[in-house]
Amino acid sequence: MVATVLLNKPVREKFLVFGAPDIQEPEIQEVIDTLRSGWLSTGPRCKKFEELFRDYVGCEYAIALNSCTAGLELALEALGIGPGDEVITTPLTFCATANVIIHRGAHPVFVDVDRATGNIDPEKVLRAVSPRTKAILPVHLYGRPCPMDELLKIASDHGLYVIEDAAHASEAWYRGRKIGTIGDVTVFSFYATKNLVTGEGGMLVTNSKKVADEIRIKQLHGLSRDAWRRYSEEGFQPYDVVAAGYKYNMMDLQAALGIHQLARLEDNLKIRERYWQIYDETFASIGGIITPDHLENADFGTTRHARHLYTILLDTDRLGISRWEFMNALKEEGIGTGVHFIALHLHSFYRERFGYNRGDFPNAEYISDRTVSLPLSSCLKLRDVYDVISAVEKVLTN
Ligand SMILES: *Cc1c(COP(=O)(O)O)cnc(C)c1O
């Protein structure tokens, strides 16, 4: 009787939330200061955050936006991608990556991923290039940089743009180059679960003045430059509407968070790297679990994984437990988990609209069917990491 009670006691009393944001006093204080300043929407803090982020990445232009999704859409528009065009991307991503292509009236052409990394496979990209292809939209999945040398070669050989979805990859480097300095446009996400958090938010970066000038205007209604100052203490500034723009600007309240999140970004990465290593060493020796590949180590320290999501693959054929059963059992133990991602071509919209089917992208499906994301956040304590490990071990032994 006693033994049964002990056995059924969950590993944790208090639920460990998946993807908890690491918000600390400096951000909280800055938000309060922003509220007191009276300037809530796009203003001086957005400008400062853009400059700090631009310097962090080492690119020419950085534009703060209300989301990464908005940035991807603006990038496609600024590069002239529209009806009839094709954009090659990965099915193993969040739906926003493909939806923005559809919003432009263009066609998302999915190609399969590399089974070891989950990133888009350049050989498959090359095979998918057609006369209508205008761009490649790679996603640095989980924070691991895509094979950019190969993708850039295909792009330059065929006159394609490269727009990078770096929602997971704020801190990533590829062969000595910072992510954000490689493709034509790169967009980062600061959504509540990402490495740098502003609640909602994103940053678009580019080295092209032409692209930056257009997006700067388009992101705020198409108003002429610096129109955000129109209600400043200099008195009302006249503005001109020069394009039918969007309402995609970031607020100073969000930038207030971003400024301090950015200041801790590198330290937080070190914390996640440590937890990652603990997970990796432990899970590598557990049968039925496939741990992430270490391919980034092949570049002798010139490539850096941003360690956004720690994902294991469940060898479901061997374990005799489904992924959903495994996640449910972890929930009963007080551990929150996630799935990144159910491949897009398995969702009804993309199947019905584009005729995609199961079987089209075997590697993406292999990962999609087996992947489970475990908690990995800089606000976890070492104790939490060991709770996750205990819970996984317990679920798999039962
Ligand atoms: C989160 C995410 C996005 C969207 O970011 P938002 O800032 O929420 O718009 C895009 N792509 C990927 C791969 C993501 O994980």
Side-chain angles (χ1 to χ4, degrees):
M1 186 64 197
V2 174
T4 321
V5 170
L6 280 179
L7 254 182
N8 289 336
K9 193 173 167 298
V11 168
R12 282 178 70 96
E13 298 286 334
K14 190 167 175 292
F15 193 72
L16 185 65
V17 177
F18 178 84
D22 186 1
I23 300 295
Q24 295 191 15
E25 272 314 307
E27 292 88 304
I28 293 170
Q29 200 51 54
E30 189 83 33
V31 167
I32 292 169
D33 292 349
T34 309
L35 288 169
R36 294 222 162 91
S37 80
W39 199 303
L40 307 189
S41 188
T42 311
R45 283 182 173 82
C46 282
K47 192 158 185 290
K48 181 174 172 193
F49 182 37
E50 286 174 345
E51 287 165 4
L52 290 168
F53 198 85
R54 181 199 62 202
D55 293 347
Y56 172 72
V57 169
C59 58
E60 295 289 331
Y61 307 96
I63 300 173
L65 300 168
N66 62 6
S67 73
C68 170
T69 307
L72 291 170
E73 191 180 347
L74 288 169
L76 291 165
E77 179 168 332
L79 296 172
I81 291 154
D85 294 337
E86 292 178 356
V87 177
I88 299 174
T89 192
T90 166
L92 195 61
T93 182
F94 186 58
C95 58
T97 317
N99 289 348
V100 291
I101 299 169
I102 296 163
H103 293 324
R104 292 298 311 143
H107 192 110
V109 175
F110 295 136
V111 301
D112 208 359
V113 299
D114 179 312
R115 192 178 283 206
T117 66
N119 277 333
I120 198 166
D121 180 343
E123 275 180 32
K124 309 255 167 58
V125 172
L126 183 57
R127 259 181 268 156
V129 173
S130 86
R132 288 180 299 279
T133 310
K134 287 284 155 56
I136 308 170
L137 207 173
V139 177
H140 304 296
L141 192 71
Y142 310 147
R144 184 203 301 276
C146 288
M148 294 309 295
D149 282 342
E150 288 86 342
L151 295 176
L152 289 178
K153 166 95 170 61
I154 297 168
S156 75
D157 287 352
H158 297 87
L160 311 176
Y161 293 113
V162 176
I163 301 162
E164 294 167 57
D165 179 339
H168 299 177
S170 286
E171 310 90 331
W173 288 74
Y174 174 76
R175 298 192 174 159
R177 281 172 289 167
K178 177 79 190 68
I179 293 298
T181 62
I182 302 175
D184 294 286
V185 179
T186 302
V187 194
F188 300 91
S189 173
F190 308 142
Y191 176 67
T193 58
K194 302 284 157 71
N195 292 350
L196 189 163
V197 168
T198 63
E200 299 284 355
M203 190 76 77
L204 180 148
V205 306
T206 182
N207 284 336
S208 161
K209 180 168 188 322
K210 184 168 168 288
V211 167
D213 284 348
E214 176 169 345
I215 288 174
R216 174 81 58 200
I217 286 167
K218 287 269 176 74
Q219 53 102 19
L220 189 61
H221 305 298
L223 307 186
S224 56
R225 232 182 129 69
D226 284 343
W228 60 271
R229 290 178 196 273
R230 62 197 184 281
Y231 300 117
S232 75
E233 57 204 26
E234 294 145 45
F236 184 81
Q237 304 288 313
Y239 60 84
D240 186 26
V241 179
V242 297
Y246 300 88
K247 180 69 191 208
Y248 287 166
N249 55 307
M250 180 180 273
M251 299 167 75
D252 264 24
L253 277 170
Q254 295 164 302
L257 295 166
I259 288 165
H260 297 281
Q261 288 272 302
L262 179 58
R264 285 204 313 279
L265 192 61
E266 289 286 313
D267 289 342
N268 287 346
L269 171 62
K270 290 201 186 80
I271 296 170
R272 295 196 311 279
E273 279 173 340
R274 178 164 174 233
Y275 295 163
W276 184 287
Q277 199 183 344
I278 295 171
Y279 279 154
D280 236 23
E281 285 167 5
T282 314
F283 294 137
S285 58
I286 298 184
I289 289 183
I290 302 161
T291 52
D293 209 284
H294 295 159
L295 270 175
E296 66 275 8
N297 297 342
D299 285 330
F300 306 105
T302 61
T303 289
R304 181 162 82 172
H305 191 307
R307 309 292 183 208
H308 174 51
L309 290 168
Y310 187 85
T311 61
I312 54 173
L313 294 178
L314 287 183
D315 192 348
T316 43
D317 310 327
R318 248 182 79 185
L319 288 171
I321 178 177
S322 81
R323 184 246 314 269
W324 307 116
E325 285 167 337
F326 175 78
M327 290 174 68
N328 242 328
L330 282 180
K331 190 192 76 193
E332 297 302 319
E333 297 301 332
I335 306 293
T337 53
V339 171
H340 300 88
F341 295 93
I342 304 295
L344 295 184
H345 70 289
L346 303 176
H347 289 273
S348 51
F349 170 74
Y350 308 96
R351 282 208 321 261
E352 285 159 22
R353 169 78 84 93
F354 302 104
Y356 286 119
N357 267 310
R358 184 171 272 279
D360 288 347
F361 310 109
N363 292 339
E365 288 163 24
Y366 179 87
I367 297 169
S368 169
D369 291 345
R370 292 167 180 78
T371 187
V372 177
S373 308
L374 300 176
L376 180 74
S377 160
S378 50
C379 66
L380 298 185
K381 300 279 170 272
L382 201 49
R383 182 63 226 267
D384 301 323
V385 173
Y386 285 119
D387 282 346
V388 174
I389 290 172
S390 303
V392 169
E393 285 174 338
K394 182 172 166 190
V395 167
L396 289 184
T397 32
N398 293 347

